[in-house]
Amino acid sequence: AQRVTQPEKLLSVFKGAPVELKCNYSYSGSPELFWYVQYSRQRLQLLLRHISRESIKGFTADLNKGETSFHLKKPFAQEEDSAMYYCALSTSMDTGRRALTFGSGTRLQVQP
Amino acid sequence: SQTIHQWPATLVQPVGSPLSLECTVEGTSNPNLYWYRQAAGRGLQLLFYSVGIGQISSEVPQNLSASRPQDRQFILSSKKLLLSDSGFYLCAWSSGETQYFGPGTRLLVL
């Protein structure tokens, strides 16, 4: 069965410090991975997906199939990056459609 | 553009009472619809998903049920709430890989 693990519940860094939010997955198929973010008092929203290989708000994430990881990184954290971050794995359902399996989330606190 | 609505935003219900949470989507047709529960410290758990009217799949056994009476309406229900049903319930829709989430309903069962 598929599984997404985010080992850190809370990550606290100072402004300007590098950030790495860890995500590991297990899935027998070809993985498609996402990072979702939920800022305070806002909806859960897509941050980035691995297939687009894009950088959003300075964040990047590289899929490492050997280590089954999809860690989220940013070289210099900003206070506005403080939020709850969820790693998610897209998997096929019985109907052929796809659904997301989420990790338990990591709260990032960026201190001034 | 597409929007997704959920109501109510907050609900306090006694144990044993019924539940009905509603989710509607605008600006798209035949979306996949999902209900998730976000429990404290446990992340998001997929409860139900639907690929069409009247088509519901349940991911975990529980005290809840879901229905899709119309293409863009998804309802989460319970006949008798349990204390353990407390949590934050999120509805989402997708037409491809990306899921778009509603504002959520916070349910407190006392």
Side-chain angles (χ1 to χ4, degrees), chain A residues 36 49 86 90 97-98, chain B residues 4 32 34 38 97-99:
Chain A
Y36 279 77
R49 64 183 84 183
Y86 292 94
S90 178
R97 303 291 182 103
R98 300 185 75 88
Chain B
I4 178 168
N32 293 339
Y34 309 84
Q38 189 175 28
E97 294 296 342
T98 301
Q99 292 195 12

Side-chain angles (χ1 to χ4, degrees), chain A residues 9 32 34 36 38 43-44 46 49 51 86 90 93-95 97-100 102-105, chain B residues 4 30 32 34 36 38 41-44 46 49 51 57 59 88 90 97-99 101-103:
Chain A
K9 288 188 176 181
E32 295 186 36
F34 305 79
Y36 279 77
Q38 188 169 27
R43 302 185 185 197
L44 189 64
L46 178 67
R49 64 183 84 183
I51 56 174
Y86 292 94
S90 178
M93 314 301 288
D94 293 340
T95 57
R97 303 291 182 103
R98 300 185 75 88
L100 289 174
F102 283 87
S104 55
Chain B
I4 178 168
N30 194 32
N32 293 339
Y34 309 84
Y36 291 89
Q38 189 175 28
R42 296 191 61 185
L44 284 162
L46 178 63
Y49 72 95
V51 299
S57 296
E59 284 299 290
F88 191 60
L90 283 168
E97 294 296 342
T98 301
Q99 292 195 12
F101 288 84

Side-chain angles (χ1 to χ4, degrees), chain A:
Chain A
Q2 61 275 8
R3 187 179 182 90
V4 177
T5 302
Q6 292 180 252
E8 303 143 325
K9 288 188 176 181
L10 173 66
L11 182 63
S12 184
V13 301
F14 287 104
K15 177 182 174 181
V19 170
E20 182 179 68
L21 300 172
K22 291 184 168 49
C23 171
N24 288 89
Y25 67 91
S26 64
Y27 182 51
S28 57
S30 180
E32 295 186 36
L33 287 141
F34 305 79
W35 276 98
Y36 279 77
V37 61
Q38 188 169 27
Y39 301 102
S40 178
R41 301 183 186 279
Q42 293 188 30
R43 302 185 185 197
L44 189 64
Q45 59 187 288
L46 178 67
L47 179 63
L48 56 81
R49 64 183 84 183
H50 93 270
I51 56 174
S52 59
R53 304 183 67 83
E54 57 197 342
S55 173
I56 303 294
K57 299 184 178 181
F59 285 98
T60 58
D62 291 320
L63 177 61
N64 186 323
K65 292 187 178 181
E67 295 182 359
T68 60
S69 68
F70 188 56
H71 303 328
L72 183 68
K73 299 178 183 179
K74 184 170 183 176
F76 307 104
Q78 302 298 316
E79 289 181 69
E80 55 264 31
D81 295 328
S82 296
M84 193 75 177
Y85 291 81
Y86 292 94
C87 183
L89 169 69
S90 178
T91 58
S92 295
M93 314 301 288
D94 293 340
T95 57
R97 303 291 182 103
R98 300 185 75 88
L100 289 174
T101 298
F102 283 87
S104 55
T106 298
R107 181 166 297 282
L108 175 64
Q109 287 182 348
V110 181
Q111 300 181 49

Side-chain angles (χ1 to χ4, degrees), chain B residues 68-87:
Chain B
R68 187 169 176 174
Q70 301 180 43
D71 182 45
R72 287 168 286 180
Q73 184 184 32
F74 204 24
I75 297 172
L76 183 69
S77 305
S78 174
K79 293 182 179 179
K80 288 186 177 181
L81 282 168
L82 305 172
L83 287 174
S84 57
D85 292 324
S86 294

Side-chain angles (χ1 to χ4, degrees), chain B residues 8-40:
Chain B
T10 305
L11 189 61
V12 181
Q13 292 283 89
V15 169
S17 63
L19 174 74
S20 180
L21 303 181
E22 191 162 342
C23 170
T24 58
V25 181
E26 297 175 358
T28 186
S29 60
N30 194 32
N32 293 339
L33 296 173
Y34 309 84
W35 277 111
Y36 291 89
R37 178 165 54 204
Q38 189 175 28

